Amino acid sequence: MDINYSETEIEFRDKLISWLDEVLPEITESPGNLNRVALREYDTAWQKKLFEAGYAGVNWPKEYGGQGLSPTEQLIFLEETTRRGAPYVGMNFVGLLHAGPTIIACGSDEQKAKYLPPILSGYNIWCQGFSEPNAGSDLASLSTKAHRDGDVYVVNGQKIWTSYGDTADYCELLVRTNPDEKHAGISWLICPMNLSGIDIRPIKSLTGSTEFCEVFFEDVKIPVENLVGEENAGWKVAMVTFSFERGTAFISEQIGAFYQLEELARLANELAAESGTLDAGIKREIGELRAAFLALWALTKRNVSQAEKTGVPGPGGSVFKLYFGQVKKSMCDLALRILGEQALYREGKDEATSLDLVTQRIYTLSLSIAAGTSQIQRNIIGERILGLPK
Amino acid sequence: MNLDPTDEQLALVDSVRAVCADYFSSEKLHQLANDFSPEIAKEIYEPGWNALLELGLFSLVTAEDKGGVGLGFCEAALVFEELGRNIVPGPVLSTFLCGLLSKDDILNGAIDDIALFDDSRKYEIVASIDSTAISNPDLVDAVLVLDSPSSSLDNASIYYCETSGLKLTSQLPLDPLTPVALAEEKINWKKLADGEAALYLKKVGCVLTAAYQTGLAEGALNLAVDYAKQREQFNTPIGSFQAVKHICADMLTLVEVARAAVYVSAVGLDEECFDSVGSEASKTTADNKSNTSFSAINLDDDLSAAKVMAGKAAEFCGEGCVQVHGGMGYTWEADPHLYLKRAWSISHRYGSAGYHSTSLAETLAN
Ligand SMILES: Cc1cc2nc3c(=O)[nH]c(=O)nc-3n(C[C@H](O)[C@H](O)[C@H](O)COP(=O)(O)OP(=O)(O)OC[C@H]3O[C@@H](n4cnc5c(N)ncnc54)[C@H](O)[C@@H]3O)c2cc1C
């Protein structure tokens, strides 16, 4: 065990910092979540900048446009970009954080060559078509059908809660290729979102923005070469997707939470200056949150070290996701209490321009639902890590 | 002792429920949540308000010989619990309290300017004279403060300001059913009264907010339980999973605990306010009571307990309701977020949980 950074890692950090100091002053503010076209433009422009400067896909293979560096350097990248308030991955989320990594782990050479570079260069946006109206927690009961017809799969059915469905170019799509099997009848397809027969309807979320969609498929023809992994072995591929989605995808949000806690402490101090004292109870709560975030950061480093061995994060991702969600909620709860009457309103006009702690409290409701609910994470921990009977 | 509502009281609750069903249905609430502009408010909100007015809500505890309904705070608590169950928005409680100022026997003579108050107007009460965030700005005619500068409940004053004179900018609200505006300049308050009246209104506000919170909690619980019975995953209703069942059971537990505390403090209000009208002697007994730990009623402690527990129940149940609904709970069109956001938006009213917990600790320590 060693928590010190190597010479090359330190050098990487220094170079990154000076690059960020140079480019960040020119970056404008995000146009906000309601203007989807402008937001896509904004999010991908930043990705393009990273790509051109040699900072896209820090730990992705060089031959597909990545930097070929270690997960530790990727962690340093996330730490410094978040600390300095660089734009968030935003619409690049699925491509960069779980679809791309899944293709690296399970895709063919042709698929890697075709799909990975445009993710890194900010050219393509991805979405995730896993959940269905009747297959959420019980994802493996999904019923969107695909039958093979010559060199295409013909897809019929419906997905729901598809984040970025309205702006994505590609979808990581789970379909049923064998109706007689449950887990063993699922395939993982790459679905271009511009195919005919796809109908996308945005859903308004409780934050007030339209961040996810219903997606309907009617006789959509997807080329057979878009199958990732074997036919009917898509559940295994989906497990790989989940390990990235639950394990590493939240790292930059986790780092962001550190700074939100700092902001909260500042706010508490300001209010205390007005009233004369900083309530001891509040002080202690802030300290406890800090303890939890520091420990979670340690856990992330540990998970990253373990993943470095296998290339894929382990079920420890469920542990991280479960606890991080709880702690972030507690932090935002405390924020509402500290703000008092000022918590009655949100800054900005919509969710994306509104990054204040009040909006964050609303948003945190997703942390115990999206990417598998907290109840399901506990089942996974109980059954897969602890080996308790089903 | 009897903490169970009577048949008459339950009939009153039924009549409130009927008004809510007609005027504050989920569909109407969503119309308001999407657009709480003055025009929509006039079309959707006003008819419901008028129905509540006709029901006598704003003179529920006013004596019959003064044109009121002549009931007590127990009835008021049951009514506000029902309003919470239906997420009825707007300045209902504030306006109810202002009704007490102008009509109530107990507060008789507390303020000179009772002409400022009548049933055709609506009022909002904010936390302090330094408050700048004003809820329901387009609905209300005036804003008031029940202020206690020393942050003790003694030595309180009532301040008043007409909204027409305020420069207000509307904000993106936390709760779509509670529009909020910020006053751009320091509000020019007019002092209406000193002392007891403000203290009295604060206590009533505290108990009835707790009643409303309990109702919110139960409304969210009912919605969650209905969903848990009906939604299936893994070929079985999700309510059959212990993880879901236990969330619902924890919700019910908090609802029952909160409700009991609310009823006790409502009885306490009735005793303190009606049984001691004009009587210095009984007031002294009331003061003595708070020093005896085994007396049946210690209103200050009881109302603090009610506010702390009901606030907890409302937030826990709102959040639990979202969670039980899964992805559906994260949508705007579903109801769960309306319960939770409403719970958040009233949590600080008439003393936050932090304030009341602290005062409970202090009375014990002293
Ligand atoms: C903001 C957000 C973004 C999302 N983005 C995407 C996306 O891009 N792509 C995508 O495919 N999906 C996405 N989802 C969907 C998400 O993965 C599902 O909502 C989630 O898996 C839950 O499924 P469900 O909504 O059907 O809820 P349900 O499965 O119906 O669950 C309802 C409740 O029952 C509980 N429950 C269900 N089964 C069990 C069990 N066996 N044991 C104990 N409790 C149980 C759940 O924990 C929950 O509390 C998103 C969701 C959100 C909120």
Side-chain angles (χ1 to χ4, degrees), chain A residues 165-367:
Chain A
D166 54 346
T167 50
D169 306 295
Y170 291 102
C171 176
E172 40 175 16
L173 184 66
L174 287 187
V175 291
R176 179 149 306 286
T177 34
N178 181 352
D180 301 326
E181 293 282 347
K182 194 172 177 181
H183 297 78
I186 292 170
S187 299
W188 202 105
L189 295 180
I190 297 169
C191 173
M193 292 297 280
N194 61 359
L195 294 180
S196 73
I198 298 181
D199 181 17
I200 301 159
R201 299 181 203 159
I203 307 171
K204 190 171 174 183
S205 83
L206 50 57
T207 64
S209 73
T210 52
E211 56 196 29
F212 46 28
C213 305
E214 288 178 291
V215 183
F216 297 85
F217 296 83
E218 201 187 330
D219 291 330
V220 176
K221 297 188 179 62
I222 300 176
V224 167
E225 71 234 32
N226 286 17
L227 176 69
V228 174
E230 307 274 300
E231 186 176 286
N232 294 324
W235 187 252
K236 276 194 216 130
V237 185
M239 288 297 115
V240 172
T241 310
F242 279 142
S243 66
F244 288 108
E245 189 181 7
R246 293 167 185 166
T248 42
F250 282 96
I251 293 178
S252 66
E253 182 171 343
Q254 177 192 8
I255 299 165
F258 267 112
Y259 299 105
Q260 285 159 349
L261 184 63
E262 256 178 46
E263 184 190 327
L264 185 59
R266 219 174 9 251
L267 195 77
N269 272 319
E270 262 168 42
L271 295 177
E274 281 167 30
S275 71
T277 48
L278 176 54
D279 183 85
I282 286 181
K283 199 191 272 181
R284 197 164 301 127
E285 275 184 69
I286 292 175
E288 268 178 41
L289 288 163
R290 185 140 186 254
F293 281 138
L294 285 169
L296 277 167
W297 184 231
L299 180 66
T300 291
K301 288 182 177 171
R302 206 168 123 70
N303 285 346
V304 163
S305 314
Q306 286 174 340
E308 217 152 338
K309 284 191 212 136
T310 59
V312 176
S318 288
V319 173
F320 169 77
K321 181 177 181 283
L322 183 63
Y323 199 56
F324 174 68
Q326 289 174 17
V327 177
K328 184 155 178 190
K329 268 186 192 177
S330 309
M331 174 177 73
C332 296
D333 258 337
L334 177 62
L336 291 195
R337 280 183 279 131
I338 288 177
L339 283 165
E341 260 183 346
Q342 289 174 48
L344 282 168
Y345 55 94
R346 300 159 63 181
E347 278 160 25
K349 293 210 162 36
D350 64 71
E351 193 212 10
T353 54
S354 178
L355 292 171
D356 62 298
L357 291 158
V358 178
T359 297
Q360 288 288 315
R361 181 61 184 93
I362 302 173
Y363 155 78
T364 53
L365 293 167
S366 72
L367 294 176

Side-chain angles (χ1 to χ4, degrees), chain A residues 128-131 136-137 160-163 211-212 366 369-373 375-376 379, chain B residues 231 233-234 238 241 243-244 323-328 330:
Chain A
Q128 179 187 37
F130 281 19
S131 307
S137 296
I160 194 168
W161 320 127
T162 315
S163 309
E211 56 196 29
F212 46 28
S366 72
I369 302 172
T373 68
Q375 287 70 41
I376 295 301
N379 288 347
Chain B
R231 165 76 173 170
Q233 283 291 275
F234 302 96
I238 55 167
F241 301 122
V244 172
Q323 184 63 27
V324 166
H325 279 74
M328 196 58 81
Y330 199 73

Side-chain angles (χ1 to χ4, degrees), chain B residues 191-349:
Chain B
K191 198 186 227 182
L192 289 190
D194 272 323
E196 278 221 329
L199 178 63
Y200 168 79
L201 290 185
K202 269 192 157 175
K203 289 185 184 181
V204 178
C206 181
V207 173
L208 297 183
T209 301
Y212 186 98
Q213 289 170 319
T214 304
L216 273 180
E218 191 169 45
L221 166 65
N222 291 342
L223 187 64
V225 169
D226 284 349
Y227 192 75
K229 287 178 181 165
Q230 162 219 322
R231 165 76 173 170
E232 293 190 1
Q233 283 291 275
F234 302 96
N235 298 316
T236 176
I238 55 167
S240 70
F241 301 122
Q242 289 189 348
V244 172
K245 205 177 284 169
H246 290 182
I247 293 177
C248 295
D250 284 343
M251 289 192 213
L252 177 87
T253 304
L254 279 176
V255 168
E256 291 299 342
V257 169
R259 182 162 30 224
V262 167
Y263 288 179
V264 163
S265 54
V267 173
L269 270 184
D270 273 341
E271 297 226 343
E272 179 163 307
C273 298
F274 292 111
D275 301 350
S276 66
V277 179
S279 151
E280 276 307 311
S282 63
K283 221 181 139 326
T284 330
T285 358
D287 284 347
N288 287 342
K289 267 185 202 165
S290 47
N291 297 326
T292 340
S293 37
F294 292 106
S295 73
I297 290 172
N298 184 335
L299 182 57
D300 286 346
D301 286 355
D302 288 338
L303 63 79
S304 285
K307 185 70 190 349
V308 171
M309 296 316 297
K312 205 187 266 268
E315 291 182 34
F316 182 85
C317 292
E319 184 143 11
C321 184
V322 170
Q323 184 63 27
V324 166
H325 279 74
M328 196 58 81
Y330 199 73
T331 64
W332 184 271
E333 302 308 329
D335 290 348
H337 75 114
L338 298 180
Y339 289 99
L340 179 56
K341 289 174 178 173
R342 190 98 186 108
W344 280 333
S345 77
I346 60 172
S347 65
H348 63 277
R349 290 193 169 226

Side-chain angles (χ1 to χ4, degrees), chain A residues 16 26 67 152 159 236 251 280 307 318 325:
Chain A
L16 172 63
E26 295 156 28
Q67 311 306 322
V152 296
K159 295 293 171 178
K236 276 194 216 130
I251 293 178
S318 288

